[in-house]
Every structure is written in C-alpha cells, then in structure tokens.
Amino acid sequence: MIKTPYLLFLGDAPDMLAAKVAIGIRDWRPENAVGQLCLPGCGADLGLRELTLAGAKAAGAKTLVIGVANRGGVISAKWKEVLIAALAMGYDLASGLHNLLRNEADLVAAAHEYGRTLHDVRIPSVEYPIANGEKRSGKRCLPVGTDCSVGKMYTAMAMEREMTERGMKATFRATGQTGILITGDGVPLDAVIADFMAGSIEFLTPDNDDDHWDLIEGQGSLFHVSYSGVTLALVHGGQPDALILCHEPTRTHMRGLPGYQLPTLERLRDTALPLAQVANPECRVVGISINTQHMNEADARAYLAEVSQRMDLPATDPYRFGASVLVDALEAI
Amino acid sequence: MIKTPYLLFLGDAPDMLAAKVAIGIRDWRPENAVGQLCLPGCGADLGLRELTLAGAKAAGAKTLVIGVANRGGVISAKWKEVLIAALAMGYDLASGLHNLLRNEADLVAAAHEYGRTLHDVRIPSVEYPIANGEKRSGKRCLPVGTDCSVGKMYTAMAMEREMTERGMKATFRATGQTGILITGDGVPLDAVIADFMAGSIEFLTPDNDDDHWDLIEGQGSLFHVSYSGVTLALVHGGQPDALILCHEPTRTHMRGLPGYQLPTLERLRDTALPLAQVANPECRVVGISINTQHMNEADARAYLAEVSQRMDLPATDPYRFGASVLVDALEAI
C-alpha cells in the first residue's frame, strides 16, 4: 500500500494530456492530494494548491506521486533534484513510469539513506497464487469493453462514488497503474506472469460482507487481440456477479489495430456473459456505460436512449450523466 | 535454441511418471536423443542406450537435458556432480525444473568457466513484442481443450509427424516447457508477462510459405478459470486457420477445480470458434481429438464414432489410432 495523502508532482509536464494520473487522483480521490508541485515551465495545472515539499509535508503529505509522464523516457536531473529532496524530507515516492525508480542508483541510495520506500506501481510487489476458482463471499461488478480505453476505469470509479454516497458498501479495485496510484493499492495486471493473472484478481477481491461490492477496474477487451488474455483472466479471476458493457460509439477501429472493427454491444454481451458464467453461473449483464465525450449532449442522450431500449438495459455515460442507473441495477440484485 | 542432439539425464527418478520430459523426447524427437544416463537407484528406463557422459559426447551429444522431475524441489549433490562434469566436458545443460539452474552458484560458475550455456526453459529468454494482430502468411492449426492436460500437445505432435510423412510442410511450435525441451525451441507461455502473451505467439509463428502449417501447442482451456487468459492469448496471437477440439471423456471435473464441470464439445466449439474468428475470420473447426487412454479399444472406437457423427467432424485419438483423419481435414483447406 502507498501511504496517503499525496503531494502530486507535475514536473515540467508540457500540458494536461501528460498529467493523466494526477487528474485521476484529483477527480476520484481528492482527499488523497494535499496539493500540487510544478517545476518552472510546467504547462499542466490541476487547480490544486501549489505547495513546496516543506509546505505539503506540514499539510500531512506522506508520498510524492509522480503524476505525469516524463519526456523521452528519462528521469531528468531537474526531476531528480526534487525527488531526492523529497526522500530526504521523509516522503516515499510512487511512480507508474516505464523507467523504474528502482533502476536509478541515486534514488535507491537516497531511499536507503533516509529509510524511505520507492513504489514502482508497474511492477507487482506480491507473489500471487494460481487461481483456485473457489466461490468467494461478497459481490463483484466488472466493466467489460468493446475495446480498450472506452471508460471502464471511470465507470467503476463513478459507481463506487455513487454507492458510497448511498451508504452502500463498495470498494474500487485497481488493476492498472493509474488506478493503483489513485487509490494507493491494487494489482498491475498487465505486468503479472501469465500463470498468475487470474490468481492475482482472486487475491485483489477476497471474501467480503455479503452486501459488499467490489468494483473491479476493467482491462483490455475480449475482442482486442493484443490484450484479450488479460481480460479473460479478469473475468474468471474476478468471478463477477454483474457485468457492465462499455463502449465508445465514435471509434472507427480497435485501438492500435487498424484492421479490426469493434464488436457490437450485443456481441460483447453474448461473448462476455457465457464466459463469466463459467466462474459464476449467477452472473448477469446489468447495464451499459457509454463514453460520449465526442458527442454533443443531444446526440449523447439520444444514443443512450436508443441503446437502452434496444438492449433492454439501463444505459448512461457515468462521467457525464452520473452512475445512478447502474447503481440502481446493482441494488436490484 | 537448445543444441541437439541430447543426452537424457534420468538421475535417480523413482519411476516413469517422473520422466515425462524424457518420454516426450523419445516418443516425438527420437533423433534428438543419443541415449540416456541413469544414476544408481533410478527406476525409470526409456529403453534407450545407457551412455556415459564421455560415450554420449563421442556419439555427438551437445546438451545434457534433465528429463525428469527432481524430488523435493532441490538439485541434489549427486545430480550436481554429473551436471558439473557435463559442463566440464563441453555439454550445455537444459532444464524445465521449477528451481532454476541459473540460481545454483556452482552450476553458474562451472558454466562460466567452461563457456557453456544453462537453458532454463521455464523462463523466457526473449523480450516479446505486444501483439499487432496483422495477418501473417502461412497456415496455423491450434488444438483447444475442454480442460487442461487432455492431449493438446500430443495432438499437435502427432499431426506434425503425419504431415511430415506425407511431405507436407509442418512445424510443431512449442508453448510449454516439455514441448520446448522436446524440440529445442519455443515460448514458455505460462511464464510470459501478461501484456506480451499474444505477442509471444505471433513471434513464435511468423510469416511462412502459403502451404506451410504451424501446429501450435495448446495451453490451458478457455473454460479453466486458472489459465483461461493464457489460452485466449494463444487463440488471438496464433490467429489459427484451423481448430482441433480436444477432450478426455472420463474426467469428472476440471483439473484441479473440483467444483467445475467440463463443457461439452459443442460448447467448446461455440465458444472457441467465434473468439478465434476475431483474429482470423476464415478460421474453422476441422476435427476432434479424444484422449481415450482410460477406455478400452471397443469403447474408444464407439465413442469416436458417436462423437464424429454427432458433431459432423472427423474424430480420432491421434496417439492411439493415428492423426490421419485430422491431417486429411487440413489438406482439404
């Protein structure tokens, strides 16, 4: 577990596009961020308090989270200066960068000297078991997508928030680096060894109260040939009681695969549900989450109404219009 | 690639059950084995020439292959003596043991001293790419199972042999440790990092002659919740033109999962084929391979006839009755 709250390091990020992790933390766990720290030339701004290392420490921050992608895949000397100063001041560091903190000799030396921890969330820190398929108590909901990057994480996050507001027991379970940094814990599923994928998800979503819901972050798509195996491990390791179908209607082909068309929502339903029922015969599809960011509001609402009627399921864009119809569907189970 | 031919090290294996790897090599690549080497107390016998290290070297052996499981997960002092002597004599070592040769300091030192290679086939030796899903030339056949360990490797091996005898272009492609040791090359798929699983299979089965067939070793099962993700990566990375359905009719539950029933062959077909067609719309199911080892011959033949008629597909036990009907089906494509 990564210690919270965080100070969000934005470095010299050129723009907000580079700050996906920091934005996720601000949007979904604002209580985890005491403020932001920019270097000169930074083009990103979360609208949080700009704090120094010392100021954030005084405000309670325990971990400096690298909330941006770095340029050229190198941790620059300018960054290093701040990171080492943070370690000296008692911060842990957390990062989802491809190049690992643990591979930087000066950071390792400083962490050792000051007794701090370097969290590289791309790398599993646990030896996961092989999945045993045994039925666990509690309930689980998994968003599955017609493609990668269609809003599965935001769907689970938005549902968790709505459920918490209603007083329901709900926990978002992160399966990717952004989700792990946002919540401070999770499984970096894409970096797990093949044999242990499903087991890592069983580990992530253990026995729980009968009325508790895990909202499991989805990964990949059963129809995305690069990552489909990761998705099926999630479906079988998660043994979901409820599936949410996720889709982005304006996409012209599968992400990164120009020759591949997206499946219909019907095909996603008819593929994912029987596979999920292998692990949990009670599983059902309860709703549809549409990423409407490239549609105007009228088009978005019309699309949702059409899809909802056609599939006989509640449909929403949980980020834009709220997750209440999806949570209603879980409550009805 | 592991250098062939081999001397097969049987150590002090208590019985033939421990010698699965060596048996596989003897059965499927007899030309790869110049002989066997037993220690006192060995209860396994492949029926090959018993050779000393020196004798096998004179007969051309280049690699000493550990063809048996070890007791208690430890490489014993008695084994070490032989392994180090082999390195000194110019042998490489190859092993599929859980405990790795590379983690034994004395073996590493000896390999270094004598300039030899230690092959731990459980560990990938290549940085595989992420799958790109692009259509490759040549043809590919993949056995898929109702469960793990139903004869998928033997099916692919038997088909390759039959095809080679007919003068067809065919290559068995190993995806597990036994297959890798048998053939000297392959991908240890269960040890590959999740994101690179499908890419490793694209790497394993590259562009080839239009009339060349890869016979890809299957792994796991789409219905086995512990390993299904590995199987789907194989289906999508392999982009097969032909699927063979594999089944063991006497099994009462999924291997290692007492609460899980095996699917029917019909359900396997209806699940695997649409998923395979995501990567290759031309894919079809061409035949059925039944592991009849626990049935007498009359029952086996009756079962094959019934299944063949019911599914309208050729069916055989390729190990017991030959793979010719399956190869006929490939030739018809």
Side-chain angles (χ1 to χ4, degrees):
Chain A
M1 296 250 333
I2 304 168
K3 287 185 197 144
T4 55
Y6 306 148
L7 173 61
L8 301 181
F9 179 64
L10 299 181
D12 46 3
D15 52 41
M16 286 296 275
L17 281 177
K20 179 178 157 190
V21 166
I23 293 169
I25 295 169
R26 178 200 62 188
D27 288 352
W28 297 110
R29 289 288 188 276
E31 69 276 19
N32 279 358
V34 303
Q36 66 185 33
L37 192 166
C38 293
L39 292 178
C42 183
D45 181 2
L46 299 172
L48 300 180
R49 280 191 299 174
E50 180 74 26
L51 293 174
T52 60
L53 288 174
K57 197 84 179 92
K62 294 192 167 56
T63 303
L64 183 73
V65 169
I66 298 178
V68 291
N70 52 344
R71 306 191 208 195
V74 174
I75 301 179
S76 69
K78 280 192 293 185
W79 283 33
K80 286 277 183 72
E81 213 173 295
V82 179
L83 301 182
I84 290 170
L87 290 166
M89 214 176 281
Y91 284 91
D92 291 338
L93 302 183
S95 160
L97 299 177
H98 273 287
N99 42 338
L100 305 180
L101 300 177
R102 71 184 65 173
N103 290 342
E104 304 290 326
D106 43 3
L107 297 181
V108 171
H112 185 74
E113 180 177 354
Y114 302 113
R116 309 316 312 165
T117 302
L118 304 178
H119 295 282
D120 286 303
V121 303
R122 281 191 181 268
I123 306 293
S125 54
V126 173
E127 287 204 19
Y128 302 111
I130 287 178
N132 63 28
E134 287 172 18
K135 177 72 182 161
R136 305 191 291 290
S137 55
K139 295 200 180 301
R140 286 156 200 88
C141 175
L142 175 70
V144 291
T146 53
D147 193 3
C148 299
S149 307
V150 292
K152 296 185 297 295
M153 185 183 84
Y154 269 50
T155 300
M157 284 287 196
M159 291 178 72
E160 185 210 38
R161 176 171 290 172
E162 171 76 17
M163 293 168 84
T164 304
E165 286 170 4
R166 293 190 192 185
M168 297 170 71
K169 297 178 192 168
T171 310
F172 173 83
R173 300 294 189 183
T175 62
Q177 48 158 341
T178 305
I180 295 171
L181 285 172
I182 291 173
T183 61
D185 201 8
V187 167
L189 184 57
D190 63 5
V192 171
I193 298 283
D195 250 4
F196 304 99
M197 293 186 298
S200 75
I201 302 306
E202 292 188 347
F203 173 91
L204 180 68
T205 61
D207 281 322
N208 216 317
D209 295 344
D210 287 341
D211 59 346
H212 177 277
W213 280 93
D214 280 328
L215 288 308
I216 306 174
E217 180 187 355
Q219 292 294 336
S221 165
L222 294 169
F223 294 88
H224 195 293
V225 296
S226 307
Y227 308 115
S228 55
V230 181
T231 311
L232 187 53
L234 203 45
V235 169
H236 281 165
Q239 54 181 229
D241 301 272
L243 297 176
I244 308 284
L245 308 180
C246 300
H247 184 54
E248 202 281 74
T250 69
R251 203 164 289 184
T252 54
H253 61 76
M254 297 291 284
R255 189 178 164 96
L257 302 176
Y260 287 80
Q261 299 300 301
L262 274 71
T264 62
L265 281 162
E266 286 84 347
R267 187 162 179 211
L268 173 61
R269 175 195 63 202
D270 296 342
T271 301
L273 184 59
L275 286 169
Q277 288 173 335
V278 170
N280 183 354
E282 305 299 314
C283 185
R284 63 191 85 172
V285 174
V286 299
I288 297 169
S289 173
I290 304 293
N291 178 342
T292 65
Q293 66 176 316
H294 299 299
M295 305 166 85
N296 67 40
E297 183 167 339
D299 287 350
R301 290 195 185 276
Y303 185 88
L304 290 171
E306 185 274 322
V307 135
S308 177
Q309 190 185 20
R310 196 179 86 217
M311 309 270 305
D312 194 21
L313 286 167
T316 186
D317 179 333
Y319 191 66
R320 191 174 194 173
F321 303 124
S324 62
V325 296
L326 301 179
V327 173
D328 292 346
L330 289 194
E331 278 200 302
I333 290 184
Chain B
M1 296 248 336
I2 304 168
K3 287 185 198 145
T4 56
Y6 306 148
L7 173 61
L8 302 180
F9 179 64
L10 299 183
D12 47 3
D15 52 42
M16 287 295 276
L17 281 177
K20 180 176 157 190
V21 167
I23 293 169
I25 295 169
R26 178 199 65 186
D27 288 351
W28 296 110
R29 288 290 188 274
E31 69 277 19
N32 278 359
V34 303
Q36 66 184 32
L37 192 166
C38 293
L39 292 178
C42 182
D45 181 2
L46 298 172
L48 300 179
R49 280 190 297 174
E50 180 74 26
L51 292 174
T52 61
L53 287 174
K57 197 87 181 81
K62 294 191 167 55
T63 303
L64 184 73
V65 169
I66 298 178
V68 291
N70 54 343
R71 307 190 209 197
V74 174
I75 301 179
S76 68
K78 281 192 293 185
W79 283 33
K80 285 277 183 73
E81 214 173 293
V82 179
L83 301 181
I84 290 172
L87 290 166
M89 215 177 280
Y91 284 91
D92 291 338
L93 302 184
S95 160
L97 299 178
H98 273 288
N99 43 338
L100 305 180
L101 300 177
R102 71 185 66 173
N103 289 343
E104 304 289 328
D106 43 3
L107 297 182
V108 171
H112 185 74
E113 180 179 353
Y114 302 113
R116 309 316 313 165
T117 302
L118 304 178
H119 296 281
D120 286 304
V121 302
R122 281 190 183 269
I123 306 294
S125 54
V126 173
E127 288 205 19
Y128 302 112
I130 287 177
N132 63 28
E134 287 171 19
K135 177 73 182 158
R136 305 190 292 288
S137 55
K139 295 199 182 300
R140 287 157 199 86
C141 175
L142 176 69
V144 291
T146 52
D147 192 3
C148 299
S149 307
V150 292
K152 296 185 298 294
M153 185 184 84
Y154 269 50
T155 299
M157 283 287 198
M159 291 179 71
E160 185 212 38
R161 176 172 289 172
E162 170 76 15
M163 294 169 83
T164 304
E165 285 170 6
R166 292 190 192 185
M168 297 170 71
K169 297 178 192 168
T171 309
F172 173 83
R173 300 293 189 182
T175 62
Q177 47 159 342
T178 305
I180 294 171
L181 285 172
I182 291 174
T183 61
D185 201 9
V187 168
L189 184 58
D190 62 5
V192 172
I193 298 284
D195 250 4
F196 304 99
M197 293 186 298
S200 75
I201 302 305
E202 292 188 348
F203 174 90
L204 180 69
T205 60
D207 281 322
N208 215 316
D209 296 344
D210 287 341
D211 58 347
H212 177 277
W213 282 93
D214 280 328
L215 287 308
I216 307 174
E217 181 187 355
Q219 292 293 335
S221 165
L222 293 168
F223 294 88
H224 195 294
V225 296
S226 308
Y227 308 114
S228 55
V230 180
T231 311
L232 187 53
L234 203 45
V235 169
H236 282 165
Q239 53 183 227
D241 302 272
L243 298 176
I244 308 284
L245 308 180
C246 300
H247 185 54
E248 202 280 73
T250 69
R251 203 165 288 184
T252 54
H253 61 74
M254 297 292 283
R255 188 178 165 96
L257 303 175
Y260 287 80
Q261 299 300 302
L262 274 71
T264 62
L265 282 162
E266 285 85 348
R267 186 161 179 212
L268 174 61
R269 175 194 64 201
D270 296 343
T271 301
L273 184 59
L275 286 169
Q277 287 173 337
V278 170
N280 183 354
E282 305 300 315
C283 185
R284 62 191 86 173
V285 174
V286 300
I288 297 169
S289 173
I290 303 293
N291 178 342
T292 65
Q293 65 177 315
H294 298 301
M295 305 165 85
N296 67 39
E297 184 167 339
D299 287 351
R301 289 195 184 278
Y303 185 88
L304 289 170
E306 185 274 323
V307 135
S308 177
Q309 189 185 20
R310 193 179 91 217
M311 309 270 306
D312 195 21
L313 286 168
T316 185
D317 179 335
Y319 191 65
R320 191 174 192 172
F321 303 123
S324 62
V325 297
L326 301 178
V327 173
D328 292 345
L330 289 194
E331 277 201 303
I333 290 183

